[in-house]
Amino acid sequence: MSWLIEKNWDKRGTGEMEVLRETMADDELHQRDKWTLFGNEAEKVEIEVIRNQHEVRKRVDRMELRREAQRKASAHLKFLEDLSMKAPDFPIPLRPHTVWEGMAVKLSCTIQGCPTPRVTWFKDNVPLTVSSQPWNYKLLQKFSLNTLEIRRCSAADAGEYKVVAKSSLGEATTFATLVVNSYQGAEMGLKCTRTAVSVVESEALFDSTFPPSFVKEGDTLVLCCSFSSPLLPFQQDVSWFRDGVPLSSSGRVDVRTALTSTTLTLKGVHKEHEGLYSVRLLTCDGIKEHSAFVYIKDGPAAVVGAPGSPLEVECSDVNRDYVFLSWKPPSADGAAQVQGYFIERSELGSLQWIRCNEVPQKVCYYPVMGLKENIMYQFRVCAVNQAGMGRPSKPTHPILTSDPMEPSRTMVVKVDAGREIVITKDQLESQIRVPFPPTDVHVCELSDSYAVISWTEPDPRGKETLTYFVERSIAGKESWHLASMDMMVRSTRFAAFDLQKGKAYCFRIRSINKYGISDPSEPSQPIALGEPLGVPTAPHSVQAIPDTERSVLLLWKEPKDTEGILGYYLYCSEVGTSDWRTINNKPVSGTRFTVHGLRTNKEYVFRVKSVGRAGNSRYSEQSQPIRVKAAKVVPSAPSGVSLLCCSGSEMVIGWRVPTSHGGVPVQCYYLDQREKSQSVWKEVNVKPVRERVCTVSGLQEGHYYQFRVFASNIIGISKPSGPSEAFLCERWTMPEPGCPYDLQLREVRRESLVLVWAEPLYRGHSQLTGYVVEISEGEESEDWTAVTQEPITDTHLKISSLQAGQTYRLRVSAVNNAGVGRPSLPTEPVTAQTRPGTKDIEIGVDNDGFIFLSFEAPETEDEGQIKWSKNYREAIDAGRAHLETKQNKSVLTFSAASEEDLGLYTAEMMDRPDISSSFSFTAEDLERLMELSWQIRHPLIGLRSEGWQVDVSEQGAVRLWLQTEPLSSAAELRMILNDREISSTPARKISFDRPNGLVEIVFDQLSKEDEGSYTAQLKDGRAKNQFTLVLVDEKFKQTLAKSQAKRRDWKRRAGPHFEEFLSWTVTEDCEMIMKCKVTNVSKDTKLKWFKDGMEITQAVFEPSGVSTFTVPQVTKKEAGVYRAVVSDSRGEDESILELLDTEFDKLMQRLSKQCALSAGPLGIQCTATGFKLYCSLKYYLSYMKTSWYFKEKRIDQEERTKPGSSMQKVWIEIFNPTENDKGKYTLEMSDGQETHKRALDLSGQVFADALLEYQRLKQVAIAEKNRARVTKGLPDVVAIMEGKSLCLTCFAEGDPMPEIFWLKNDREISSTGQYHIAHDKNSSTITINSVTMEDSGNYSVFVRNTYGSQTAYVTVSVYKHGEKPRADAIQM
């Protein structure tokens, strides 16, 4: 049975297995079908995505084309709008309306204008807004029709309605009134204001441009150009360039272009910004360009003598922790040669700069290692020399340290909807564990101090981050050791600095990640340090060529070996100085450069340096000196071609001088002619014409002719002048004269100028009588005004009272008896201003006594081109004066000036008549200068002292001396005394100091024989003079007495003597101090003081020689004669001071003044009798007069006032004060010369408080006066024998009469028993009968009334018979 069951189970299991297999097959088939379906659907989706991508791309292209078309259309529309610009206008204005209340009304107007005006409605000049009453107002605007609809009119809607249209071109206004119920008449009007818009007739061109500029490093550069007219639409794209590179607005650069100007602003300039700046403007003829060089000067040095800042610091070969820097050396080495460079780095956003190298780098490149990955860095370089480190360079642009191979290991797959799938090579190499070794180890940078090793990272590299070990070994050996010991190398670059010169090294690299270290790479080829990089060779053949008045063109030749030359630095120096100035701070690459900013007419020399990575070369040889002036060119075209005369077959043509002669004089002119109907010009003269007038012959009468003129100098022929107007060839027969010609301006100044002209060639029918000169303000004004009221006869006129800075034109007409002739052509416009450096003619006398006129032209002009004339036309007579010209200064010297030479002299630069001056040589000048000429030709030796001087020395020697101007060594002296020549003797020494012009006579001891007249006769070449001293009579006696007195005083000073004699002073403490000072003292010297013959012992004698006697308080007894005597074995001296009469009064006055100055402020003291006003002093002198004033009125002594004084106080008492005593009190103290005041304002609260205190004190005094008091008191101690009777009597007074009480031991005693008390009128007596020992004790009497009380005490001592009483007691 069990077997059957098992068998059944086996059969059942077999069936289930079959079912399971079928089910799995079906599932697999189903899964395969699902995958097939998914693939088909995915393919459909992919096809749909591709189709959608094509469709989107087409749409994007169409949209871009549409935008481009719209942009072009809008630009064209803007151009059309600019051409059709029109100010706002109302073709149909508002019109007035009158309606009934409740009716609707529409106010309409049409508006024109381009651009479209902005429209605003107003009601009674208040802007109208629909939002205020949307139910009643409605504003409509359709095209150019503007309508205001009012649905239901009311009285409030009546008023004036106005429409204002505004645009950038102007404003227009129209208004009308709305009348509701016709309460006022209707009005209307139209008002338009337009802004003038210049009609765009011509394209804009450059008007004013920027010159070459000089800016200091760190400052702001501003360049500006203006245009001749507003830019047209196609011109508004103005471009700026630096060295051909376009500039656009950024954080540092600001480019702004308006319709009439364009400006470039560059903030915080660096030397890298130096270069040629250009601005380009598009015109119909092409691109117009203006360029100028901008020089950037070195900023202020951080350390005196330090070099300038390097420039153009560039970063290259940026890796994860490595970057290679290069730069250019500065142009200025400073006080010493540049020794090297320090490199600094800073993380972006940090203000801290960290030095990258400890030792200065000598060449201009450096590899920086040890950087952090994925950090933004900036670098800068500082040059260093012996003086210190210079300014840092401009920081580099921020660079990000990152792996440069990262992009090559990343692939981006774009999918639909703008999504991207990023696949990195690291993900595909995730199975790599320990890295492979790097490959291709080689050197990429090599110098004399380091080698930069480069390699290629392993491939495959794995997913993990790689770092590297660098190993090194001497070539030929296998002793490898770690070269990157102290750092982790993250990039594929390593700079090895610690290599030894002369040895070759091999390098190999190991890769490292977190799984381990790779095998070493293949070793590199042997690497040895390179040779030091040499500085480049200096250029040669430096040549300077004239360019303009402020610049020269500098040329040089490059050295033979140009390898490593980065450019050139240029330097210049003014001839005569040793100051070399750097021209450019950014190397120039060519061999020619225009140097700007030079001083006109100064000579310069130039030299050049080559610039390389190892530094700058030595200086080239300097160029030949060159004077800065404009290069010589052909002259400018003549102008003002005019007809001066016509005979019917001949015409006389004149013209103006060219405005510029091109640097050399104009030599001649050529004339062309043509008939009006012809276009071909014919030569008039083959032979050049020297003057500016030419006669043209062979003309046909009745024909019209035109002329043009060419000017010529040694450089060439100018451009022709503009064609003249057509002149009719017809014989002149008018009675008036023709026009003057050859008008020239001279001596143009701020307020005046001189006009010179030639008389007309055609004089008319009579002689000329004068000329009329007319003037017109402005360049084109035809409003002519006569300069003078009457015609002038000369052919020149000085016009004064011009307005400085104003532009004028002038013309001249000739006058004869027939009238005023035709006017000349006007002069070119001239501005009334003084040319910088202009100097006038000076007159003087030269060193030889000849009178001369001198004129110095501005330094900008050529030398030797000054022409002199008299009265503007006459030549200078060579027989009367000769001319000498040197550089830009010309001197006209008269041989023998006389009245024939008087007149108006003029000097002018040839071919530059605007540089001129004149001088009127008058008779007064001649007289003054002839006197000066005589003095020069007959010179006198001048005195420096005021004649002879007489000095007496301290020893009594007499010195006679005088001083003249310095004399030559050949000068002679003769000394005459009383008509006889004297010479030097031992007693009379004569000396002559020629270089200082000093003559001296010294007498050791003057005597009577020396009296007389002393004369010093001097001669020095042509110059001579004599000086006399009359030393006779009173003058001699005074000198002799002074000499003898000084001799005696000198002998006195041989012993102890007074350096300062007796004198007195008053101190701030009002003390008198007498003082003297002795000198030349010894230990035996004694000093004694006496007063009226009596010795004063209180005097103090200090070791310094000063002796003083102090009187603390001066009285009349201090008057007298004081004498001080100093003496020792060498001699004696005395000093006397008479302190009497006037001197004593002076002392008292000084004391009084000092006492008054010591006075304090007025104070008030209240008493029982009134007020006491007082002033405290150091002490009071009766000499000092005091006065009291009340309300500016003096207080005389009266019943209610009483002045008084003490030694230290002055007061006044005011008895029984009342309100009438309120006011200002003044104390005046007079010291005899000055009055000193102290004041007190006794009013207000001060008076009230004082009055209250006075009343209190008065009551206290009354109480004190009337209070009860004991008048005759008791003895202190009384002794009495036992058994006797004691009688004590006490007297008292008071008002009212006081009460009297007796007390024993402070207890009242009544009149009972053995005590008997008897009271009288003003006394009280107590009697103690048969005293006992118990009666001993302290007794007192107490008196009192309403004002007070008093107690008197007595001690009673009872002693027994046979005993002795107390010693201090009174025995009764």
Side-chain angles (χ1 to χ4, degrees):
M1 188 69 182
S2 60
W3 174 84
L4 182 61
I5 293 173
E6 287 182 4
K7 189 176 181 180
N8 290 336
W9 272 108
D10 289 340
K11 291 181 178 180
R12 183 180 176 185
T14 302
E16 289 180 351
M17 289 298 295
E18 291 295 331
V19 172
L20 180 60
R21 290 192 189 95
E22 292 177 1
T23 302
M24 291 178 63
D26 292 340
D27 289 341
E28 183 178 357
L29 181 61
H30 181 68
Q31 190 70 22
R32 192 181 300 113
D33 292 340
K34 286 177 65 177
W35 274 105
T36 302
L37 181 61
F38 174 77
N40 294 337
E41 291 297 326
E43 183 179 4
K44 292 179 181 179
V45 169
E46 183 178 3
I47 293 172
E48 185 68 20
V49 167
I50 294 173
R51 187 182 63 79
N52 289 340
Q53 287 179 345
H54 284 292
E55 192 67 28
V56 169
R57 189 174 294 109
K58 289 180 180 179
R59 290 181 183 180
V60 170
D61 292 342
R62 284 197 297 268
M63 290 175 63
E64 185 62 28
L65 290 174
R66 188 181 297 110
R67 279 196 296 267
E68 182 66 20
Q70 289 176 350
R71 187 183 63 80
K72 292 184 178 180
S74 62
H76 184 67
L77 287 175
K78 187 175 184 303
F79 175 68
L80 295 177
E81 288 177 359
D82 291 340
L83 292 178
S84 61
M85 286 188 296
K86 181 181 179 183
D89 190 15
F90 290 94
I92 303 177
L94 291 176
R95 62 183 182 85
H97 289 75
T98 301
V99 296
W100 292 99
E101 190 172 6
M103 295 178 60
V105 67
K106 290 184 178 181
L107 302 177
S108 302
C109 63
T110 58
I111 302 174
Q112 290 182 352
C114 185
T116 303
R118 185 175 65 259
V119 179
T120 307
W121 284 80
F122 294 84
K123 178 181 181 294
D124 295 331
N125 291 323
V126 177
L128 187 63
T129 57
V130 177
S131 59
S132 60
Q133 298 183 28
W135 61 88
N136 197 32
Y137 292 109
K138 184 178 182 182
L139 284 175
L140 299 175
Q141 183 174 2
K142 188 174 182 181
F143 300 107
S144 61
L145 178 63
N146 284 262
T147 304
L148 170 64
E149 180 180 356
I150 306 176
R151 295 184 176 89
R152 294 181 63 84
C153 291
S154 63
D157 296 322
E160 181 185 81
Y161 287 81
K162 181 170 65 176
V163 180
V164 177
K166 291 184 179 180
S167 73
S168 60
L169 302 180
E171 176 182 319
T173 303
T174 179
F175 64 91
T177 57
L178 173 63
V179 179
V180 180
N181 289 335
S182 189
Y183 65 91
Q184 68 175 11
E187 297 180 2
M188 70 172 290
L190 176 64
K191 178 182 178 182
C192 295
T193 61
R194 290 181 171 85
T195 301
V197 179
S198 57
V199 179
V200 183
E201 296 180 351
S202 60
E203 61 185 359
L205 300 174
F206 287 117
D207 186 10
S208 64
T209 54
F210 55 91
S213 304
F214 297 83
V215 187
K216 186 173 289 187
E217 192 175 8
D219 291 349
T220 299
L221 170 67
V222 179
L223 303 177
C224 181
C225 285
S226 63
F227 306 120
S228 58
S229 60
L231 294 174
L232 295 179
F234 77 92
Q235 293 183 296
Q236 294 181 4
D237 187 15
V238 179
S239 303
W240 286 84
F241 298 85
R242 179 175 62 236
D243 295 332
V245 179
L247 298 174
S248 58
S249 293
S250 63
R252 187 187 297 270
V253 181
D254 183 18
V255 178
R256 296 188 180 184
T257 301
L259 285 177
T260 58
S261 65
T262 180
T263 304
L264 170 69
T265 303
L266 183 58
K267 301 175 183 177
V269 296
H270 291 278
K271 292 191 287 189
E272 287 83 351
H273 300 137
E274 184 176 270
L276 186 67
Y277 284 74
S278 305
V279 56
R280 296 177 184 176
L281 175 66
L282 183 63
T283 65
C284 295
D285 298 331
I287 294 177
K288 301 293 183 182
E289 180 176 329
H290 168 73
S291 300
F293 202 88
V294 174
Y295 298 84
I296 310 298
K297 300 180 180 179
D298 271 314
V303 178
V304 177
S309 58
L311 67 158
E312 296 187 5
V313 183
E314 296 179 353
C315 301
S316 61
D317 199 9
V318 181
N319 270 269
R320 295 168 62 188
D321 61 353
Y322 168 91
V323 66
F324 190 79
L325 296 180
S326 61
W327 59 91
K328 293 181 180 179
S331 60
D333 290 344
Q337 188 175 3
V338 174
Q339 296 176 343
Y341 303 89
F342 282 117
I343 296 90
E344 297 177 342
R345 71 174 184 267
S346 174
E347 295 183 13
L348 189 64
S350 171
L351 300 179
Q352 181 181 7
W353 289 90
I354 301 172
R355 186 174 293 179
C356 298
N357 57 322
E358 297 298 330
V359 179
Q361 173 69 4
K362 295 186 180 299
V363 293
C364 296
Y365 46 78
Y366 185 76
V368 180
M369 296 190 300
L371 304 178
K372 300 177 184 177
E373 189 175 3
N374 295 323
I375 298 294
M376 298 287 285
Y377 283 98
Q378 285 184 291
F379 298 88
R380 69 182 189 185
V381 182
C382 302
V384 63
N385 63 7
Q386 290 181 353
M389 191 163 65
R391 286 170 58 95
S393 67
K394 174 189 174 185
T396 64
H397 292 294
I399 57 105
L400 177 65
T401 53
S402 61
D403 188 355
M405 301 299 295
E406 184 70 24
S408 64
R409 294 196 297 270
T410 304
M411 181 175 61
V412 179
V413 179
K414 295 184 178 180
V415 296
D416 59 332
R419 291 181 300 169
E420 295 179 347
I421 298 176
V422 179
I423 302 174
T424 63
K425 192 176 181 182
D426 295 343
Q427 294 173 340
L428 302 177
E429 300 174 354
S430 59
Q431 71 279 7
I432 301 298
R433 298 300 183 186
V434 177
F436 289 91
T439 57
D440 190 22
V441 181
H442 64 282
V443 62
C444 63
E445 293 287 343
L446 185 64
S447 75
D448 63 326
S449 59
Y450 66 86
V452 178
I453 311 302
S454 174
W455 58 90
T456 303
E457 64 181 12
D459 188 16
R461 64 187 298 275
K463 180 180 179 181
E464 303 302 330
T465 303
L466 283 181
T467 58
Y468 303 94
F469 280 160
V470 180
E471 297 177 347
R472 152 182 107 188
S473 174
I474 297 177
K477 299 182 179 180
E478 290 298 325
S479 58
W480 296 95
H481 64 273
L482 197 60
S484 58
M485 182 69 71
D486 56 346
M487 65 181 300
M488 180 180 293
V489 180
R490 299 180 181 274
S491 60
T492 57
R493 302 289 187 274
F494 178 77
F497 284 93
D498 55 346
L499 305 181
Q500 297 181 11
K501 291 187 177 181
K503 290 186 177 182
Y505 297 87
C506 293
F507 292 85
R508 68 183 187 184
I509 316 298
R510 294 177 185 265
S511 303
I512 309 168
N513 65 10
K514 71 177 185 178
Y515 296 108
I517 303 175
S518 72
D519 294 331
S521 66
E522 292 293 327
S524 67
Q525 294 295 322
I527 299 171
L529 292 177
E531 294 297 324
L533 187 63
V535 296
T537 308
H540 60 92
S541 303
V542 182
Q543 181 183 5
I545 300 174
D547 184 41
T548 68
E549 292 183 351
R550 299 277 293 175
S551 64
V552 299
L553 177 62
L554 195 63
L555 306 175
W556 63 92
K557 292 183 179 180
E558 60 186 15
K560 293 182 179 180
D561 184 9
T562 60
E563 184 179 358
I565 293 181
L566 305 175
Y568 302 93
Y569 283 133
L570 317 178
Y571 305 85
C572 68
S573 175
E574 193 172 327
V575 173
T577 67
S578 59
D579 182 20
W580 284 90
R581 177 169 63 89
T582 303
I583 296 174
N584 62 312
N585 279 300
K586 180 180 177 181
V588 296
S589 56
T591 57
R592 58 185 293 147
F593 187 80
T594 302
V595 182
H596 303 92
L598 304 177
R599 296 173 61 191
T600 305
N601 215 34
K602 295 293 183 181
E603 288 190 342
Y604 288 86
V605 290
F606 300 86
R607 59 188 186 185
V608 187
K609 276 185 178 182
S610 300
V611 183
R613 295 294 183 192
N616 300 330
S617 71
R618 60 174 179 82
Y619 289 107
S620 68
E621 294 183 358
Q622 65 185 34
S623 66
Q624 292 296 321
I626 182 173
R627 184 176 296 275
V628 180
K629 56 184 178 181
K632 296 177 175 59
V633 295
V634 297
S636 60
S639 61
V641 181
S642 60
L643 177 62
L644 303 181
C645 186
C646 182
S647 63
S649 61
E650 291 182 349
M651 285 185 178
V652 181
I653 305 300
W655 56 88
R656 293 196 196 104
V657 67
T659 56
S660 172
H661 56 69
V664 289
V666 175
Q667 295 178 333
C668 57
Y669 298 91
Y670 297 93
L671 194 66
D672 286 356
Q673 72 173 37
R674 72 178 180 186
E675 291 192 23
K676 181 179 180 182
S677 58
Q678 297 178 350
S679 60
V680 179
W681 292 93
K682 298 179 181 179
E683 291 184 353
V684 173
N685 60 317
V686 177
K687 186 177 180 180
V689 177
R690 302 290 180 183
E691 304 297 331
R692 290 188 297 278
V693 176
C694 181
T695 301
V696 182
S697 305
L699 304 178
Q700 297 182 12
E701 189 171 3
H703 286 228
Y704 285 90
Y705 292 91
Q706 288 181 296
F707 300 90
R708 68 180 184 183
V709 185
F710 298 83
S712 174
N713 61 10
I714 60 174
I715 304 302
I717 299 176
S718 72
K719 294 182 179 180
S721 67
S724 69
E725 61 178 286
F727 300 133
L728 175 63
C729 184
E730 184 179 32
R731 182 180 181 84
W732 283 9
T733 59
M734 65 273 196
E736 297 84 4
C739 61
Y741 68 99
D742 196 16
L743 274 67
Q744 296 184 26
L745 297 170
R746 302 279 195 277
E747 306 170 43
V748 179
R749 303 292 187 266
R750 286 174 50 85
E751 298 179 351
S752 65
L753 57 82
V754 175
L755 179 65
V756 182
W757 62 90
E759 62 184 23
L761 300 180
Y762 179 77
R763 298 175 177 269
H765 294 176
S766 59
Q767 293 296 321
L768 298 178
T769 59
Y771 299 93
V772 175
V773 179
E774 296 175 295
I775 190 169
S776 173
E777 293 187 6
E779 296 185 2
E780 299 180 356
S781 173
E782 294 298 328
D783 184 12
W784 296 93
T785 305
V787 176
T788 59
Q789 295 181 354
E790 298 294 333
I792 59 174
T793 57
D794 292 328
T795 57
H796 59 84
L797 176 65
K798 183 172 184 177
I799 304 169
S800 304
S801 302
L802 301 180
Q803 182 179 351
Q806 179 64 45
T807 301
Y808 298 92
R809 293 190 303 158
L810 297 104
R811 68 182 185 183
V812 184
S813 303
V815 182
N816 64 7
N817 294 334
V820 180
R822 64 176 62 181
S824 66
L825 283 179
T827 63
E828 293 288 346
V830 59
T831 302
Q833 61 184 9
T834 303
R835 179 189 178 97
T838 298
K839 296 182 180 179
D840 293 326
I841 293 178
E842 298 178 353
I843 192 169
V845 180
D846 61 16
N847 294 332
D848 296 324
F850 292 100
I851 299 175
F852 68 88
L853 294 173
S854 172
F855 175 66
E856 186 174 359
E859 294 183 354
T860 57
E861 304 305 322
D862 298 331
E863 58 183 67
Q865 300 293 320
I866 299 177
K867 174 185 176 183
W868 288 83
S869 61
K870 190 174 182 181
N871 298 325
Y872 290 101
R873 296 294 182 186
E874 303 174 16
I876 303 298
D877 186 355
R880 301 204 58 83
H882 65 276
L883 185 64
E884 181 180 357
T885 300
K886 187 176 182 181
Q887 293 183 354
N888 60 331
K889 186 175 183 179
S890 179
V891 179
L892 180 68
T893 305
F894 296 97
S895 303
S898 64
E899 293 183 355
E900 296 182 20
D901 298 307
L902 302 182
L904 182 65
Y905 287 85
T906 59
E908 65 181 55
M909 293 291 294
M910 295 181 63
D911 294 301
R912 288 297 302 273
D914 55 319
I915 301 177
S916 56
S917 182
S918 65
F919 183 83
S920 181
F921 189 12
T922 63
E924 290 79 6
D925 296 327
L926 179 62
E927 181 180 357
R928 174 176 58 85
L929 296 174
M930 288 298 291
E931 181 179 354
L932 180 60
S933 173
W934 188 93
Q935 293 176 0
I936 293 175
R937 293 181 180 183
H938 304 86
L940 293 176
I941 296 175
L943 265 182
R944 285 191 174 178
S945 63
E946 295 181 0
W948 280 98
Q949 302 293 313
V950 180
D951 294 339
V952 181
S953 69
E954 295 294 328
Q955 293 83 9
V958 177
R959 174 175 173 255
L960 311 180
W961 65 275
L962 64 84
Q963 187 175 16
T964 67
E965 60 191 13
L967 303 175
S968 68
S969 59
E972 300 176 0
L973 168 68
R974 290 183 70 231
M975 186 62 64
I976 309 297
L977 172 60
N978 298 332
D979 298 329
R980 62 184 179 85
E981 186 174 357
I982 60 175
S983 59
S984 182
T985 65
R988 181 185 59 209
K989 299 180 179 66
I990 301 174
S991 62
F992 184 25
D993 183 1
R994 292 173 176 79
N996 295 318
L998 187 63
V999 179
E1000 288 183 314
I1001 306 176
V1002 179
F1003 302 91
D1004 291 337
Q1005 187 170 353
L1006 193 66
S1007 63
K1008 186 65 178 175
E1009 290 75 16
D1010 298 318
E1011 183 178 6
S1013 177
Y1014 292 83
T1015 301
Q1017 296 179 350
L1018 297 171
K1019 183 179 180 182
D1020 189 7
R1022 290 191 305 173
K1024 56 186 177 178
N1025 210 337
Q1026 69 177 24
F1027 310 95
T1028 301
L1029 171 65
V1030 180
L1031 191 62
V1032 297
D1033 299 334
E1034 190 65 28
K1035 186 173 183 179
F1036 178 79
K1037 292 178 181 178
Q1038 291 176 359
T1039 304
L1040 182 60
K1042 186 176 180 181
S1043 172
Q1044 293 173 349
K1046 285 202 171 187
R1047 184 175 297 276
R1048 287 193 301 270
D1049 187 62
W1050 177 70
K1051 290 181 179 180
R1052 178 183 67 85
R1053 291 173 178 268
H1057 60 275
F1058 286 95
E1059 183 178 357
E1060 296 178 8
F1061 294 97
L1062 280 176
S1063 63
W1064 57 264
T1065 57
V1066 177
T1067 67
E1068 293 182 355
D1069 295 330
C1070 301
E1071 296 178 340
M1072 182 193 73
I1073 299 178
M1074 288 189 181
K1075 177 184 175 183
C1076 64
K1077 184 177 181 180
V1078 297
T1079 186
N1080 197 19
V1081 296
S1082 66
K1083 62 181 179 178
D1084 299 328
T1085 303
K1086 296 181 180 180
L1087 178 65
K1088 294 183 179 181
W1089 287 67
F1090 299 89
K1091 177 181 181 295
D1092 297 332
M1094 301 296 291
E1095 185 176 355
I1096 301 173
T1097 59
Q1098 295 85 355
V1100 178
F1101 185 29
E1102 300 176 0
S1104 62
V1106 177
S1107 181
T1108 58
F1109 172 56
T1110 304
V1111 181
Q1113 187 169 344
V1114 179
T1115 60
K1116 290 185 178 180
K1117 68 179 182 179
E1118 270 68 48
V1121 179
Y1122 291 82
R1123 188 167 68 97
V1125 180
V1126 60
S1127 63
D1128 60 16
S1129 59
R1130 296 172 294 169
E1132 170 182 292
D1133 195 12
E1134 69 174 5
S1135 175
I1136 298 174
L1137 173 63
E1138 295 183 357
L1139 198 60
L1140 298 169
D1141 302 330
T1142 305
E1143 188 70 17
F1144 186 76
D1145 291 341
K1146 183 179 178 182
L1147 170 63
M1148 297 305 290
Q1149 185 271 332
R1150 188 74 59 83
L1151 275 169
S1152 299
K1153 179 178 180 181
Q1154 195 61 42
C1155 290
L1157 292 175
S1158 69
L1162 285 183
I1164 181 171
Q1165 179 181 355
C1166 298
T1167 66
T1169 58
F1171 299 157
K1172 185 177 183 180
L1173 306 180
Y1174 66 91
C1175 179
S1176 299
L1177 311 130
K1178 292 290 184 181
Y1179 67 85
Y1180 172 71
L1181 293 173
S1182 59
Y1183 184 87
M1184 184 170 58
K1185 307 300 182 183
T1186 59
S1187 302
W1188 288 89
Y1189 291 83
F1190 175 59
K1191 296 181 179 178
E1192 308 301 330
K1193 183 178 180 183
R1194 182 169 178 171
I1195 302 175
D1196 296 324
Q1197 187 168 358
E1198 53 188 28
E1199 294 180 358
R1200 294 184 59 252
T1201 58
K1202 180 183 178 181
S1205 63
S1206 64
M1207 289 301 294
Q1208 294 183 337
K1209 189 174 291 186
V1210 180
W1211 68 81
I1212 185 172
E1213 292 184 276
I1214 304 172
F1215 302 113
N1216 300 323
T1218 64
E1219 287 288 335
N1220 295 330
D1221 297 315
K1222 184 188 300 183
K1224 182 179 180 182
Y1225 290 83
T1226 304
L1227 170 62
E1228 289 189 356
M1229 296 167 286
S1230 174
D1231 57 19
Q1233 291 185 354
E1234 299 181 17
T1235 300
H1236 308 273
K1237 295 182 179 182
R1238 300 292 186 271
L1240 175 65
D1241 188 5
L1242 191 57
S1243 60
Q1245 189 64 35
V1246 176
F1247 180 82
D1249 294 343
L1251 186 61
L1252 185 62
E1253 180 66 12
Y1254 153 69
Q1255 291 171 351
R1256 186 187 69 79
L1257 293 176
K1258 183 177 180 182
Q1259 293 299 325
V1260 171
I1262 293 173
E1264 182 66 24
K1265 179 180 179 182
N1266 296 330
R1267 74 177 177 85
R1269 61 170 56 88
V1270 178
T1271 56
K1272 292 182 180 180
L1274 301 172
D1276 292 336
V1277 181
V1278 175
I1280 189 169
M1281 187 182 294
E1282 187 177 13
K1284 289 185 178 184
S1285 295
L1286 176 62
C1287 182
L1288 299 174
T1289 302
C1290 175
F1291 292 89
E1293 65 178 12
D1295 187 17
M1297 194 63 192
E1299 298 177 288
I1300 301 175
F1301 304 92
W1302 288 91
L1303 298 91
K1304 178 186 178 184
N1305 296 330
D1306 296 332
R1307 290 187 178 184
E1308 186 179 355
I1309 303 171
S1310 60
S1311 183
T1312 59
Q1314 69 180 112
Y1315 297 101
H1316 177 71
I1317 300 173
H1319 296 288
D1320 200 356
K1321 181 178 180 181
N1322 58 352
S1323 65
S1324 179
T1325 303
I1326 183 171
T1327 302
I1328 307 174
N1329 298 316
S1330 301
V1331 297
T1332 63
M1333 296 299 293
E1334 288 79 7
D1335 293 324
S1336 296
N1338 293 323
Y1339 289 81
S1340 60
V1341 61
F1342 174 70
V1343 297
R1344 72 178 180 185
N1345 64 3
T1346 57
Y1347 291 106
S1349 62
Q1350 187 177 2
T1351 304
Y1353 296 93
V1354 61
T1355 301
V1356 177
S1357 176
V1358 180
Y1359 63 92
K1360 293 182 180 183
H1361 183 72
E1363 294 180 357
K1364 289 184 179 182
R1366 289 175 55 175
D1368 58 343
I1370 298 175
Q1371 192 172 353
M1372 301 297 289

